[in-house]
């Protein structure tokens, strides 16, 4: 059995232990066969919709399974000779979450600081006694995009029948986060890797919520749908009163 490594996340006495999953065999870690100086994060390039449709069914299924496994269980790659693990939400952030960055085709760059930040988020997510965290970072760190990406990743995987909320100081700011960041990234994900939503029905502009409930024309609720909702509210005490959201960012 592969030995599991513990990484300390944080500083001094306040650092928290984070247990990495078992390290795969060398040849199962991405970029193991590249020279050390060429081992680094590379964003996967997904086939266009037409190219995906042209693939044999078994290759389509393998691609979808690979991506969902990475989003759920995380991803290992060699980084300058070091086997490096990133969480599923970190992988989703780097590979899927468009932030209009001036480089990397608009997607986030890989940063070691982000890697440990996502470890910390994973600790909070898995701790039943944790009600969330307060992030104190410099401006332009990316914490808003990171929080939105993690929420979207969780809301479109295996969670079901849940509410996910976005809050900002005002209704206008919350609506802006929803329209300008969540929907912007959502719409850039290839349809074959994206959960079916009300955005696929195209009955008008979506401003209030993104729902993953299946095609309502075929019934009020699909047994095979996630039945999750991502919506937004201003930051008030009663914003989500009685709603019991799964997560708020």
């Amino acid at each position: 059995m592969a030995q599991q490594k513990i990484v300390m996340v944080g500083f001094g006495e306040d650092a928290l232990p984070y247990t990495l999953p078992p390290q795969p065999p060398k040849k199962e870690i991405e970029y193991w066969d590249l020279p050390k100086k060429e081992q680094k994060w590379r964003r996967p390039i997904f086939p266009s919709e037409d190219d995906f449709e042209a693939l044999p069914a078994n290759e389509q299924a393998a691609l979808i399974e690979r991506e969902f496994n990475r989003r759920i269980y995380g991803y290992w790659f060699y980084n300058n000779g070091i086997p490096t693990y990133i969480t599923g939400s970190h992988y989703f952030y780097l590979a899927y979450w468009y932030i209009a960055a001036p480089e990397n085709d608009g997607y986030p760059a890989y940063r070691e600081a982000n890697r440990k930040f996502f470890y910390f988020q994973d600790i909070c997510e898995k701790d039943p006694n944790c009600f969330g965290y307060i992030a104190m970072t410099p401006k332009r760190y990316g914490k808003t995009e990171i929080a939105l990406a993690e929420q979207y990743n969780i809301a479109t995987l295996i969670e079901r029948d849940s509410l996910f909320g976005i809050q900002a100081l005002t209704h206008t700011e919350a609506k802006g986060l929803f329209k300008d960041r969540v929907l912007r990234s959502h719409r850039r994900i290839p349809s074959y890797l994206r959960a079916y939503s009300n955005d696929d029905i195209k009955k008008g502009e979506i401003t209030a919520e993104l729902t993953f409930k299946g095609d309502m024309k075929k019934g009020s609720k699909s047994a095979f749908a996630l039945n999750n909702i991502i919506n937004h509210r201003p930051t008030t005490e009663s914003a989500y009163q009685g709603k019991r959201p799964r997560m708020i960012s």
Side-chain angles (χ1 to χ4, degrees), residues 95-158:
Y96 290 77
W97 202 250
Y98 183 81
I99 63 171
E103 61 279 321
N104 303 313
D105 296 325
Y107 290 86
Y110 173 80
R111 297 173 180 171
E112 281 290 293
N114 287 163
R115 177 174 64 87
K116 289 196 173 182
F117 191 88
F118 274 96
Y119 287 175
F120 173 72
Q121 283 194 151
D122 201 31
I123 292 172
C124 294
E125 171 66 20
K126 292 174 179 176
D127 184 352
N129 297 315
C130 178
F131 290 91
Y133 64 87
I134 299 173
M136 299 179 66
T137 68
K139 280 286 189 180
R140 312 301 299 173
Y141 181 84
K143 59 182 177 295
T144 299
E145 297 286 4
I146 287 172
L148 293 174
E150 183 188 35
Q151 182 185 74
Y152 183 99
N153 188 49
I154 294 173
T156 55
L157 280 177
I158 55 178

Side-chain angles (χ1 to χ4, degrees), residues 47-185:
S48 68
E49 306 285 343
D50 290 341
D51 287 345
F52 179 80
E53 288 299 322
L55 292 174
N58 64 318
E59 292 185 25
Q60 292 181 352
L63 174 59
I64 293 172
E65 182 178 10
R66 184 198 76 182
E67 287 304 304
F68 274 79
N69 281 336
R70 289 177 177 182
R71 289 176 59 188
I72 294 170
Y73 301 113
Y75 174 73
W76 284 89
F77 69 102
Y78 271 96
N79 187 23
N80 195 32
I82 301 173
T84 301
Y85 171 77
I86 58 176
T87 67
S89 285
H90 194 182
Y91 175 81
F92 177 80
Y93 173 67
L94 293 172
Y96 290 77
W97 202 250
Y98 183 81
I99 63 171
E103 61 279 321
N104 303 313
D105 296 325
Y107 290 86
Y110 173 80
R111 297 173 180 171
E112 281 290 293
N114 287 163
R115 177 174 64 87
K116 289 196 173 182
F117 191 88
F118 274 96
Y119 287 175
F120 173 72
Q121 283 194 151
D122 201 31
I123 292 172
C124 294
E125 171 66 20
K126 292 174 179 176
D127 184 352
N129 297 315
C130 178
F131 290 91
Y133 64 87
I134 299 173
M136 299 179 66
T137 68
K139 280 286 189 180
R140 312 301 299 173
Y141 181 84
K143 59 182 177 295
T144 299
E145 297 286 4
I146 287 172
L148 293 174
E150 183 188 35
Q151 182 185 74
Y152 183 99
N153 188 49
I154 294 173
T156 55
L157 280 177
I158 55 178
E159 292 283 335
R160 295 188 62 183
D161 305 308
S162 298
L163 170 64
F164 296 80
I166 299 168
Q167 285 192 286
L169 290 177
T170 67
H171 170 75
T172 300
E173 290 181 1
K175 183 178 178 180
L177 289 176
F178 177 77
K179 289 185 61 180
D180 300 335
R181 302 199 187 188
V182 173
L183 286 180
R184 175 184 65 184
S185 296

Side-chain angles (χ1 to χ4, degrees), residues 193-232:
L193 293 173
R194 188 177 65 215
Y196 186 83
S197 72
N198 58 331
D199 192 41
D200 293 298
I201 300 174
K202 303 295 183 183
K203 288 187 175 180
E205 184 183 17
I206 296 174
T207 61
E209 61 183 22
L210 187 60
T211 63
F212 304 96
K213 294 187 174 183
D215 192 339
M216 304 305 286
K217 293 182 294 186
K218 297 180 181 178
S220 60
K221 192 172 183 180
S222 171
F224 300 102
L226 293 168
N227 296 311
N228 290 333
I229 298 172
I230 299 176
N231 66 13
H232 59 86

